[in-house]
Amino acid sequence: MHIDLTGQAAIITGASSGLGRAAAIAFAAAGAAVAVNYNSSEDKAREVVDQIVQAGGKAFACAADTSDEAAVIRMFDETVERFGGVDIVFANAGMQKDAAYAEMTLADWKQVIDVNLTGQFLVTREAVRRFRQQGDRGVSRAIGKILFMSSVHEVIPWAGHANYAASKGGSGMLMRTLAQEVAGDRIRVNGIAPGAIATAINADATADQDKLLELIPYGRVGDPDDVARAALFLVSDAADYIVGSTLTIDGAMSLYPGFRDNG
């Protein structure tokens, strides 16, 4: 199946590294012009842009703290100014600040919720506003596509990561609620829920491969391209009838592998 995003413009938040970086490169390779959002890693974002441009694609690095309403609006303004519109928004930016429940500070709780959940609200709210404002640009069957980055921890509890798990549980319900509300506008909203993927944010969790693989029936840790390919499919017309779904990308981690031998 060949996926073609030619003529479409995409914003990918948190695209300077990890899963956002892989998605930016994949979307650009399929023909999309990409706004590579970053908060603090300008050099890494520019490396992603350079890689896309050298391969013949179109991209620019765009600074914005996605938990800042004004910064989000500026990010959309700059993307529309450069690309003429926006057709795909991947709310990918996220973070972890881990601690045992009784030791977790309010500041660490708030920061993770602000970035992982409030940030997704601000980015996707602005996406809906822009899609409605610009209408049908004639580049896709939907007038706009929104993709939420969630995690298997929207359904799997994760001791020592209460703020992260709460943000991802909220992300899943936020995605489905938004999808229900805007489907009638021909705005498609979906989510992806990766499991153990070899990225910097998961470095500690993926360090002990033997122990980790006990939780992954498929027998391997995922890589960023596994997630990028799924994201690319969901924002393409090949997935046009998929609305309000979360695609889990986890090698069966969320299938309760501890029960394989009857518990």
Side-chain angles (χ1 to χ4, degrees), residues 38-125:
Y38 68 95
N39 184 17
S40 58
S41 303
E42 181 178 1
D43 290 345
K44 290 183 178 180
R46 295 197 181 282
E47 288 175 6
V48 177
V49 170
D50 288 345
Q51 182 171 342
I52 290 171
V53 172
Q54 288 170 11
K58 189 175 182 180
F60 77 100
C62 183
D65 176 352
T66 58
S67 66
D68 181 324
E69 183 176 23
V72 168
I73 292 170
R74 286 195 301 270
M75 175 175 67
F76 276 82
D77 285 342
E78 185 173 4
T79 302
V80 171
E81 181 180 352
R82 286 175 176 261
F83 297 151
V86 59
D87 310 287
I88 299 164
V89 173
F90 184 8
N92 165 76
M95 68 176 302
Q96 288 179 223
K97 285 218 162 187
D98 308 328
Y101 201 90
E103 281 73 52
M104 184 172 289
T105 66
L106 180 58
D108 285 351
W109 169 269
K110 285 184 173 180
Q111 188 174 8
V112 171
I113 297 297
D114 282 351
V115 172
N116 293 9
L117 187 56
T118 303
Q120 288 194 336
F121 162 71
L122 292 172
V123 168
T124 59
R125 184 188 64 178

Side-chain angles (χ1 to χ4, degrees), residues 121-136:
F121 162 71
L122 292 172
V123 168
T124 59
R125 184 188 64 178
E126 191 62 22
V128 170
R129 290 172 173 175
R130 301 293 175 129
F131 295 156
R132 286 173 170 167
Q133 179 182 358
Q134 71 189 15
D136 190 342

Side-chain angles (χ1 to χ4, degrees), residues 80-221:
V80 171
E81 181 180 352
R82 286 175 176 261
F83 297 151
V86 59
D87 310 287
I88 299 164
V89 173
F90 184 8
N92 165 76
M95 68 176 302
Q96 288 179 223
K97 285 218 162 187
D98 308 328
Y101 201 90
E103 281 73 52
M104 184 172 289
T105 66
L106 180 58
D108 285 351
W109 169 269
K110 285 184 173 180
Q111 188 174 8
V112 171
I113 297 297
D114 282 351
V115 172
N116 293 9
L117 187 56
T118 303
Q120 288 194 336
F121 162 71
L122 292 172
V123 168
T124 59
R125 184 188 64 178
E126 191 62 22
V128 170
R129 290 172 173 175
R130 301 293 175 129
F131 295 156
R132 286 173 170 167
Q133 179 182 358
Q134 71 189 15
D136 190 342
R137 289 185 357 110
V139 295
S140 178
R141 296 184 71 180
I143 70 166
K145 285 75 65 80
I146 294 172
L147 190 60
F148 281 74
M149 175 60 80
S150 187
S151 162
V152 291
H153 296 294
E154 74 171 48
V155 294
I156 300 175
W158 200 12
H161 305 75
N163 48 5
Y164 183 83
S167 72
K168 294 305 182 180
S171 177
M173 185 54 72
L174 180 62
M175 181 277 291
R176 292 190 291 276
T177 300
L178 176 59
Q180 182 191 67
E181 183 169 331
V182 301
D185 295 321
R186 287 174 49 224
I187 298 172
R188 288 201 303 109
V189 183
N190 290 291
I192 53 176
I197 310 294
T199 64
I201 195 173
N202 288 329
D204 291 341
T206 58
D208 188 344
Q209 292 270 326
D210 291 339
K211 184 176 181 180
L212 181 60
L213 290 177
E214 294 176 5
L215 302 175
I216 307 173
Y218 196 58
R220 73 171 176 89
V221 173

